[in-house]
Amino acid sequence: MAVIEAEGLVKVYRSRKSDVRALDGVDLDVQEGTVLGLLGPNGAGKTTAVRVLTTLLRADEGRATIAGLDVARDAQAVRRLIGLSGQYAAIDENLTGRENLWMFGRLYQLGTHDAKERATELLTRFDLEKAADRVAKTYSGGMRRRLDLAAALIGRPKLLFLDEPTTGLDPRSRLGMWDVIRTQVREGATLLLTTQYLEEADALADEIAVVDQGKIIARGTADELKTQVGGERIEVVVHDRDLLERAAQLIAPDGSASIDEHTRRLTVAAEGGAQQLVDVVLRLGEEQIRVDDVGLRRPTLDDVFLALTGHAAETAPESEETAAPTTAEGESA
Amino acid sequence: MNSLRIAVADGIVISWRNLKRVPRIPELAIFAILQSIMFVLLFAFVFGGAIPLPGGGSYREFLMPGIFVQTLAFASVTTAIAVADDMTKGLIDRFRSLPMARSAVLSGRTFADIVYNIGLLIVLMLTGLVIGWRVHSGVLDFIYGVLLLLFFTYAMAWIGVFLGLSVPTVEVAQQLGFLVIFPITFLSNAFVPIETLPAALQPIAEWNPISALTGAARELFGNPNPFASNSFPGEHPIFMSIVWTIALLAVFMPLAIRKYRAIDR
Ligand SMILES: Nc1ncnc2c1ncn2[C@@H]1O[C@H](COP(=O)(O)OP(=O)(O)OP(=O)(O)O)[C@@H](O)[C@H]1O
Ligand SMILES: [Mg+2]
């Protein structure tokens, strides 16, 4: 059964200067107990979609339901089912971690004793025990993020919305966050998460929806998407710019290599994996073409975009980025 | 009724968290108090000697009710700043994503402001007592006066909420607040008798809600109250302050609530 469903969502931010069509007809469905990853570059509309689904923002057109409840008409009932961790940690900086969780628990309508116990439990689970009685102002970015996620879990929601849960985390904290998220899913939660990293969607999501300019441009499992993109790629940086064309011919006789003149970089899909890399290196060696760098790499979000849209995943001009809360900068746990 | 119980319980939680802010950022309250004390010192000891009171009486006793009203009016800026801060930090969004009573964010906010302002008022009255301010009326009149001031505070809190929800950043809330509150407190009888003001400004000062409240407090506390001329507001400050407070509430409470409901646009 689809517990999250959306049909034709449109949201236009209007301002004096220009209108931004942040959602341009988004259809979504997430089956119970599964994880959907919304993957997209800056300004794609991920946050807007999450805000509509979590009752924070009213869509201009289309409808969305959570467990059959309309997010606009039955907003209060929807809120009883969901937990939200937004893109920027939304915690009270002047309360301690424990007080924050207690407060959100109370407002989730837990009894005061229940809220206290739940707070302690989550502080332990998120490795915040030591900092539990310090005001959140003193927390690092990673700690804020964890506290924010704990707040989202306070009422044991069946449905979780996580907007870029690992942006700004160091690699170790990111893995820790992945663990926490996986635990939630194992315990039966349905999850919608947004991310800018294919790797993250790959690691966590059952299904991925690629968002670009307010539209879902592709959907599938990570493997399906990667096949569309063509799996791994071989990258070669040629030392001598004059030999770029020649090298491109060698590594891909069918002319499929993309050439970046400026960085002298050649990229070609590598269905043959490591063996194909060896072949390429040998061929270049035979012709005595000097290379500065050569390697095999996995497809990135950029490749997905290039393959799906024909344009690179350019970042939309982000006017609100600079006005965003300061909690996003320089974070590390 | 269950929903009423939830509304009250949630409102208390929100009030609690707003009041926690006071000891956690003591500078806020301390600066509010220092600013008022500075005004007391400035007017009582620097300008006070040069300000004649028609009908006589102690200038310091005349001054203190004005200081009370001015401080309580400024408290609305504090409210606006806190609300704007909650908006930009995403806290309001978090509250809105929870199954809590919708009214609680604003009712909790404004209730906390009353509690905070009671604290401010107590400190100011103690300061007044130190420099020679006294209450010369009965207990009932005194309580009546204090209640009028708090009722006014409540209206000011709603103005603060409305401002806080309307501005894009905390800094704008701060500047806008001062831009509004400073002129209206100075264009009143809070620090000087109205007849010492330029003739053209006197009608404005007479009809100013700050003047009404200050006049009402002076009357109810038994302090010198030389309200200029025979104007209607000058003769009925208590009536006028009730009318003003109700009018401000009637305008700004619905405005603030509407603004809050429209956040999801
Ligand atoms: N409150 C707003 N007012 C005006 N425009 C907005 C507002 N919020 C978002 N936008 C615009 O809507 C578009 C989609 O924004 P959204 O925040 O949904 O993107 P996103 O995919 O979450 O991006 P990011 O990865 O940077 O978080 C962007 O072009 C953005 O500038
Ligand atoms: Mg976003």
Side-chain angles (χ1 to χ4, degrees):
Chain A
M1 194 187 79
V3 281
I4 304 175
E5 264 187 305
E7 252 177 53
L9 291 182
V10 172
K11 177 69 200 181
V12 182
Y13 292 111
R14 294 176 199 287
S15 68
R16 256 158 292 160
K17 282 194 203 118
S18 66
D19 291 352
V20 179
R21 222 172 160 79
L23 295 180
D24 191 8
V26 166
D27 301 325
L28 277 178
D29 59 289
V30 186
Q31 302 299 311
E32 188 163 3
T34 67
V35 181
L36 176 73
L38 277 187
L39 177 69
N42 285 144
K46 304 180 296 291
T47 299
T48 307
V50 168
R51 289 172 59 82
V52 168
L53 293 172
T54 53
T55 78
L56 296 182
L57 196 64
R58 216 170 262 273
D60 297 327
E61 287 169 41
R63 55 185 282 280
T65 58
I66 303 288
L69 299 164
D70 190 286
V71 293
R73 265 179 296 120
D74 308 315
Q76 197 67 351
V78 167
R79 292 176 188 138
R80 275 189 273 275
L81 304 174
I82 62 171
L84 165 67
S85 173
Q87 183 164 0
Y88 304 101
I91 49 176
D92 191 332
E93 304 215 308
N94 299 310
L95 298 182
T96 67
R98 191 186 303 281
E99 287 167 343
N100 263 290
L101 293 182
W102 177 82
M103 169 175 73
F104 293 131
R106 288 290 290 132
L107 297 176
Y108 208 95
Q109 308 305 325
L110 303 181
T112 177
H113 183 71
D114 238 16
K116 236 179 222 145
E117 278 193 345
R118 185 77 180 137
T120 307
E121 182 189 328
L122 286 167
L123 288 165
T124 313
R125 160 123 52 114
F126 285 83
D127 203 13
L128 289 168
E129 285 157 302
K130 276 204 213 98
D133 297 308
R134 239 165 57 196
V135 285
K137 214 183 303 189
T138 65
Y139 283 19
S140 76
M143 293 162 78
R144 280 163 201 252
R145 221 40 268 201
R146 295 206 297 276
L147 184 61
D148 192 69
L149 185 56
L153 297 178
I154 197 87
R156 297 189 179 80
K158 281 262 157 286
L159 275 143
L160 266 180
F161 292 84
L162 309 180
D163 195 0
E164 301 195 21
T166 66
T167 301
L169 295 189
D170 66 23
R172 201 179 59 95
S173 310
R174 166 171 300 182
L175 291 181
M177 190 61 92
W178 285 7
D179 269 348
V180 170
I181 293 171
R182 287 198 182 104
T183 308
Q184 293 306 311
V185 177
R186 241 196 334 271
E187 289 170 3
T190 305
L191 201 143
L192 187 146
L193 117 150
T194 78
T195 177
Q196 304 188 20
Y197 311 108
L198 181 59
E199 179 204 0
E200 179 160 287
D202 198 356
L204 297 174
D206 299 308
E207 245 202 317
I208 297 171
V210 183
V211 197
D212 184 38
Q213 299 182 354
K215 287 197 176 76
I216 303 237
I217 55 171
R219 249 200 100 147
T221 63
D223 284 340
E224 283 164 4
L225 286 179
K226 277 191 205 153
T227 319
Q228 277 193 45
V229 183
E232 291 174 313
R233 12 225 81 209
I234 290 168
E235 268 185 7
V236 181
V237 177
V238 179
H239 184 75
D240 192 346
R241 185 164 283 129
D242 296 338
L243 296 177
L244 262 180
E245 295 287 340
R246 176 82 195 109
Q249 266 298 312
L250 280 175
I251 66 174
D254 60 354
S256 66
S258 70
I259 303 171
D260 185 339
E261 290 269 358
H262 184 64
T263 56
R264 307 187 310 279
R265 188 185 304 270
L266 301 170
T267 310
V268 66
E271 281 88 10
Q275 185 55 50
Q276 189 177 342
L277 177 62
V278 173
D279 294 344
V280 163
V281 171
L282 281 177
R283 256 179 270 153
L284 291 171
E286 274 166 19
E287 296 273 329
Q288 308 214 322
I289 293 175
R290 260 183 81 188
V291 296
D292 287 347
D293 193 12
V294 62
L296 201 58
R297 69 166 172 77
R298 279 194 276 223
T300 62
L301 183 55
D302 271 331
D303 301 318
V304 175
F305 274 94
L306 203 56
L308 292 171
T309 64
H311 72 84
E314 74 222 21
T315 303
E318 222 42 34
S319 48
E320 109 261 55
E321 199 80 332
T322 43
T326 51
T327 49
E329 56 192 40
E331 309 186 341
S332 64
Chain B
M1 225 171 76
N2 199 33
S3 63
L4 182 65
R5 195 185 56 76
I6 290 176
V8 172
D10 290 351
I12 292 174
V13 173
I14 296 287
S15 291
W16 167 84
R17 87 115 189 152
N18 288 332
L19 288 172
K20 271 277 173 188
R21 201 179 134 91
V22 180
R24 297 278 158 86
I25 321 179
E27 294 83 358
L28 281 180
I30 291 172
F31 282 128
I33 290 166
L34 282 183
Q35 182 185 324
S36 300
I37 291 181
M38 191 190 74
F39 269 98
V40 171
L41 297 180
L42 212 57
F43 278 95
F45 296 99
V46 182
F47 305 136
I51 300 170
L53 283 192
S58 147
Y59 177 73
R60 293 182 192 173
E61 297 214 328
F62 165 87
L63 174 66
M64 283 318 292
I67 295 286
F68 300 156
V69 175
Q70 187 211 26
T71 309
L72 296 179
F74 266 113
S76 69
V77 182
T78 315
T79 304
I81 291 170
V83 170
D85 196 40
D86 284 350
M87 282 286 282
T88 51
K89 293 246 168 76
L91 222 60
I92 299 272
D93 274 352
R94 164 126 269 153
F95 291 141
R96 289 174 57 240
S97 79
L98 293 168
M100 60 184 283
R102 273 229 290 191
S103 61
V105 172
L106 302 190
S107 67
R109 169 90 255 161
T110 46
F111 180 74
D113 284 342
I114 292 190
V115 177
Y116 172 75
N117 286 324
I118 290 176
L120 273 188
L121 199 54
I122 291 175
V123 175
L124 288 180
M125 287 186 165
L126 292 176
T127 309
L129 289 177
V130 170
I131 64 153
W133 170 75
R134 295 290 179 273
V135 177
H136 301 285
S137 58
V139 177
L140 283 183
D141 275 351
F142 173 72
I143 292 174
Y144 187 11
V146 169
L147 287 181
L148 270 189
L149 288 177
L150 293 180
F151 187 36
F152 172 67
T153 291
Y154 190 62
M156 291 305 288
W158 280 100
I159 295 180
V161 170
F162 175 68
L163 269 181
L165 290 174
S166 306
V167 296
T169 66
V170 174
E171 287 74 22
V172 176
Q174 183 147 20
Q175 279 157 10
L176 200 65
F178 281 94
L179 220 62
V180 174
I181 308 287
F182 254 116
I184 66 164
T185 52
F186 276 95
L187 269 179
S188 77
N189 65 355
F191 306 111
V192 295
I194 284 186
E195 52 181 46
T196 65
L197 291 173
L201 295 178
Q202 286 190 16
I204 300 176
E206 276 163 12
W207 288 93
N208 186 338
I210 301 285
S211 299
L213 260 296
T214 308
R218 282 179 186 141
E219 190 165 317
L220 290 167
F221 297 160
N223 297 134
N225 190 20
F227 221 119
S229 68
N230 294 332
S231 70
F232 177 81
E235 279 166 8
H236 304 91
I238 298 176
F239 173 75
M240 279 312 293
S241 42
I242 294 173
V243 168
W244 264 118
T245 306
I246 290 175
L248 289 175
L249 265 178
V251 171
F252 285 97
M253 201 162 151
L255 276 181
I257 291 172
R258 213 175 66 188
K259 196 92 205 167
Y260 183 73
R261 295 211 163 146
I263 293 176
D264 66 356
R265 298 287 140 185

